[in-house]
Amino acid sequence: MALRMSTPLHLLPSSSLPESREKTTSFMVWRTSIARKKLLLVRAGTKRIEFDSNCRKALFSGINKVADVVAVTLGPKGRNVVLSESDTVKIINDGAVIARSIELQDTVENIGAQLLQEVAKRTNESAGDGTTTAIVLAREMIKYGLLAVTNGANPVYLKTGMEKTVKELIKILKDKSCAVKRRDEIKAVASVSAGNDQYIGELIAEAVERIGPDGVISVESSSSSETCVIFEEGMKIDKGYMSPHFVTNKDKSAVEFENARILVTDLKVSSVKQIIPLLEKATQLSAPLLIIAEDISRSVLETLVVNKNQGLLNVAVVKCPGFGEGKNAVLQDIALMTGADFISGDLGLTLDSVTSDQLGIAQKVTVTSSSSTIVADPSTKAEIQARIMQMKKDLAMTDNKYLAEKLSERIAKLCGGVSIIKVGAHTEIELEERKLRIEDAKNATFAAIAEGIVPGGGAIFIHLSKQIPLIKKTIKHADEQIGADIVEKALMAPAKLIAANAGFDGDVVIENIRDLDCRGGYNTMNGRYEDLISAGVIDPTRVSRCALQNAVSIAGMILTTQAVLVEKFKKPKPLVPQIPGITP
């Protein structure tokens, strides 16, 4: 709608002009004002509204488009997808990246696509892999659920039945899970996640073997075409930066320092004056400064951010990890590892008296929004080993279960190093694709170590589906039983799609897997039915669990949707990409 906005009319007094001339003059003033005015276009927030079947049909159309694109990547013989964005071309095999890049023209269909993107995002955050499986499961649940709603089933009861069924299936899944103990099992998990790439599996297995299950693996680009593993000791804490303005690597949304100075204290930094000498020393040395403190006042934080943005300081602030006695213990370990003095209020120390000699030094520091990794300087290696030996002696002598657990955690943090996988390739496109594969393999490996493994290739879902008739007996409402049937049908989709992508008949494969025991399945690489765990065709239990839980969550929400409201017109994208927390 166009609203004509004009300035207020300033008319002459009626006593100074005759009536006729007054009207003429007033009209001329009004015309002059119109000529000088600026039109202000105001677009009302008009909405497109869809109800009932039209709403669900449009949403499912968008869901189908996303799922069809992502589904071609599933399995060891899945295909790649060419992605063009921001004048760059990528060849991708990662379901989460592909789903995140899809934007549809129709606004309602785009809402459906965004809902499926949420499935991929949640699964990737919680498990690090299995995004394609989660999308495929969600699409099948929604498809059969909409069919049931069309035939008169109550969507609320359908959702309840689906959730009850999945809850019981998760219990069964955990019972069928096998612990990861051997190196060849770790290699198998990583290889399957990386698209059956045995070399990547070997790299991940080597990295995990050196750092242990509590270490950290980072993936970086190599300056050559070769891919290799470099091992560095380090400690990871579960606290990230206090402000995104400290970020130095905007692509990763992370703070990356080399040869950084470290201030370790359990005190609150309440005034800039307390740390001015340290800031000046860090500036003189041209070294970045990491402050690990109990808290920091708003005025100090703003001062540091302003100076960081102006290029005067290279600094980041992280809150103390843990709480109570555990917090002080971790801070002492960080201080020992970096060679810093622990500035503790319990010892009567203050920040005003801290000198630059009391700062520690770290070879490399990486801080994200949720965690920080500190790689120790080689000069402190002897002290770290001495502390580990002392803590192991304390662990052997203690009878307190809680204390034993905390000591074990601290030993793991000090022992855990950082394995850096340097990824090389002949072209930039190949490099990006290989890095994504290695990231998936890394996440799947740690997920398997945490919760165990199950048969891969979609076989575990078929074996779980055989338990649904027993679960249905515990459900009384007819529509809730239909919800259980929907989950049973959806569980067939991953194995069927993996077989289809490999050129086999999915329906035949499903029927044959049904006749096997809980470890059996179809190996699409050699075309044989066998014990998949022994053959190395395995999936992390966490990946299967998260895919199932996230799929039923979104499916239930869509089935109970009765109307959708969206903007008729899409807002144009900003010319400059917006950075969360930085761009207003």
Side-chain angles (χ1 to χ4, degrees):
M1 171 186 282
L3 299 180
R4 297 184 177 274
M5 307 295 293
S6 61
T7 56
L9 301 180
H10 299 282
L11 303 180
L12 297 175
S14 56
S15 59
S16 61
L17 290 173
E19 182 178 355
S20 60
R21 190 173 178 181
E22 177 187 345
K23 292 181 179 179
T24 303
T25 305
S26 299
F27 177 73
M28 291 175 64
V29 171
W30 181 79
R31 288 290 301 270
T32 302
S33 178
I34 287 294
R36 293 177 180 174
K37 73 181 181 184
K38 292 182 179 180
L39 288 177
L40 174 64
L41 294 178
V42 179
R43 175 170 290 169
T46 53
K47 301 285 186 180
R48 172 185 169 190
I49 306 176
E50 297 287 349
F51 294 96
D52 302 332
S53 60
N54 291 335
C55 155
R56 290 187 287 267
K57 183 178 179 181
L59 290 175
F60 186 63
S61 177
I63 289 168
N64 252 338
K65 291 177 180 178
V66 174
D68 287 341
V69 175
V70 172
V72 301
T73 67
L74 188 61
K77 294 186 178 181
R79 308 302 197 271
N80 295 329
V81 174
V82 177
L83 176 62
S84 175
E85 57 180 9
S86 302
D87 299 327
T88 60
V89 177
K90 299 178 182 179
I91 299 178
I92 304 296
N93 191 265
D94 186 273
V97 176
I98 297 169
R100 187 170 63 243
S101 304
I102 295 175
E103 185 175 1
L104 303 178
Q105 184 67 32
D106 184 272
T107 49
V108 180
E109 289 184 2
N110 195 53
I111 292 296
Q114 290 176 359
L115 291 172
L116 215 53
Q117 289 167 3
E118 184 69 14
V119 175
K121 178 184 175 183
R122 293 292 182 186
T123 305
N124 195 47
E125 289 177 351
S126 53
D129 195 17
T131 53
T132 303
T133 301
I135 288 174
V136 169
L137 286 171
R139 193 256 296 269
E140 294 300 308
M141 290 180 186
I142 295 166
K143 180 176 73 174
Y144 291 116
L146 291 178
L147 184 61
V149 171
T150 303
N151 291 327
N154 189 307
V156 176
Y157 287 118
L158 290 180
K159 177 185 176 183
T160 303
M162 293 164 64
E163 290 174 346
K164 288 181 178 178
T165 304
V166 168
K167 185 177 181 180
E168 294 300 320
L169 290 178
I170 295 301
K171 296 178 181 178
I172 299 172
L173 179 67
K174 292 180 178 179
D175 291 338
K176 293 181 179 294
S177 177
C178 303
V180 175
K181 298 178 181 178
R182 303 191 308 273
R183 187 179 191 274
D184 59 334
E185 291 176 336
I186 294 175
K187 178 183 175 182
V189 171
S191 299
V192 170
S193 179
N196 212 48
D197 191 320
Q198 297 296 321
Y199 181 65
I200 292 178
E202 182 65 33
L203 286 176
I204 298 294
E206 179 185 352
V208 172
E209 187 177 39
R210 296 194 66 179
I211 65 174
D214 301 302
V216 177
I217 298 177
S218 62
V219 181
E220 299 179 359
S221 299
S222 173
S223 57
S224 67
S225 60
E226 299 296 324
T227 301
C228 60
V229 179
I230 301 174
F231 175 74
E232 294 178 351
E233 291 184 343
M235 172 186 282
K236 184 176 182 180
I237 58 177
D238 56 353
K239 289 290 184 179
Y241 48 70
M242 291 186 64
S243 171
H245 293 281
F246 294 132
V247 167
T248 59
N249 188 330
K250 294 183 179 179
D251 292 334
K252 296 181 180 179
S253 294
V255 178
E256 294 180 348
F257 290 157
E258 291 185 0
N259 298 320
R261 298 303 189 269
I262 313 289
L263 171 63
V264 184
T265 179
D266 61 355
L267 300 172
K268 178 180 178 179
V269 183
S270 55
S271 172
V272 179
K273 293 181 180 179
Q274 295 176 308
I275 57 173
I276 281 180
L278 304 180
L279 298 177
E280 290 176 345
K281 186 63 176 179
T283 304
Q284 292 173 4
L285 296 172
S286 298
L289 176 65
L290 176 66
I291 300 174
I292 302 176
E294 174 64 25
D295 201 357
I296 187 169
S297 68
R298 185 179 182 86
S299 61
V300 176
L301 184 62
E302 290 174 350
T303 302
L304 294 177
V305 167
V306 169
N307 284 273
K308 165 69 172 59
N309 291 338
Q310 292 179 353
L312 302 176
L313 289 174
N314 200 5
V315 65
V317 182
V318 175
K319 278 192 175 184
C320 297
F323 55 91
E325 295 181 1
K327 176 183 67 179
N328 286 340
V330 173
L331 290 177
Q332 289 173 12
D333 292 341
I334 294 174
L336 174 76
M337 189 178 72
T338 60
D341 287 351
F342 176 37
I343 312 302
S344 174
D346 295 339
L347 301 177
L349 301 177
T350 62
L351 291 173
D352 299 314
S353 59
V354 176
T355 65
S356 59
D357 295 334
Q358 293 176 287
L359 296 178
I361 184 171
Q363 186 175 351
K364 186 176 180 180
V365 174
T366 303
V367 185
T368 66
S369 61
S370 58
S371 65
S372 302
T373 302
I374 302 173
V375 178
D377 190 77
S379 60
T380 61
K381 186 174 182 179
E383 288 83 354
I384 295 174
Q385 293 300 323
R387 172 61 68 89
I388 291 174
M389 293 299 296
Q390 181 60 46
M391 290 169 63
K392 286 183 176 180
K393 290 180 181 179
D394 295 340
L395 179 62
M397 295 175 62
T398 184
D399 295 328
N400 189 308
K401 184 178 179 181
Y402 175 78
L403 182 59
E405 290 179 356
K406 292 302 177 184
L407 283 172
S408 299
E409 289 178 6
R410 291 174 61 194
I411 292 172
K413 285 183 178 294
L414 286 174
C415 290
V418 178
S419 283
I420 302 175
I421 300 180
K422 294 285 188 178
V423 184
H426 295 287
T427 63
E428 189 69 24
I429 293 176
E430 182 187 1
L431 177 65
E432 291 299 322
E433 192 269 344
R434 182 170 291 182
K435 285 174 69 176
L436 288 173
R437 284 180 182 268
I438 293 177
E439 283 285 354
D440 283 348
K442 177 193 75 173
N443 294 330
T445 301
F446 284 115
I449 293 173
E451 296 188 18
I453 54 176
V454 290
I460 185 61
F461 295 118
I462 296 178
H463 295 315
L464 288 176
S465 70
K466 294 187 288 187
Q467 306 296 321
I468 291 183
L470 298 177
I471 297 175
K472 284 178 63 178
K473 293 180 180 179
T474 64
I475 300 175
K476 297 181 180 180
H477 199 282
D479 284 351
E480 290 184 3
Q481 292 180 347
I482 295 175
D485 292 332
I486 290 170
V487 175
E488 182 178 7
K489 292 179 180 178
L491 291 175
M492 307 297 167
K496 183 177 180 179
L497 193 54
I498 290 172
N501 286 343
F504 302 102
D505 189 330
D507 292 323
V508 174
V509 169
I510 289 173
E511 291 303 320
N512 290 334
I513 294 177
R514 280 180 171 275
D515 297 331
L516 303 176
D517 61 23
C518 62
R519 292 168 62 99
Y522 186 64
N523 189 343
T524 56
M525 294 303 296
N526 58 25
R528 293 202 299 264
Y529 296 93
E530 55 187 349
D531 185 326
L532 294 183
I533 292 182
S534 299
V537 183
I538 48 184
D539 284 336
T541 304
R542 178 184 292 174
V543 170
S544 300
R545 173 180 63 81
C546 292
L548 200 53
Q549 289 174 330
N550 294 326
V552 77
S553 174
I554 292 296
M557 297 303 296
I558 291 177
L559 292 181
T560 53
T561 298
Q562 191 70 7
V564 61
L565 289 80
V566 294
E567 296 286 349
K568 281 189 176 182
F569 305 98
K570 283 188 177 181
K571 295 181 179 179
K573 290 185 177 180
L575 297 177
V576 180
Q578 296 183 353
I579 303 174
I582 298 179
T583 306

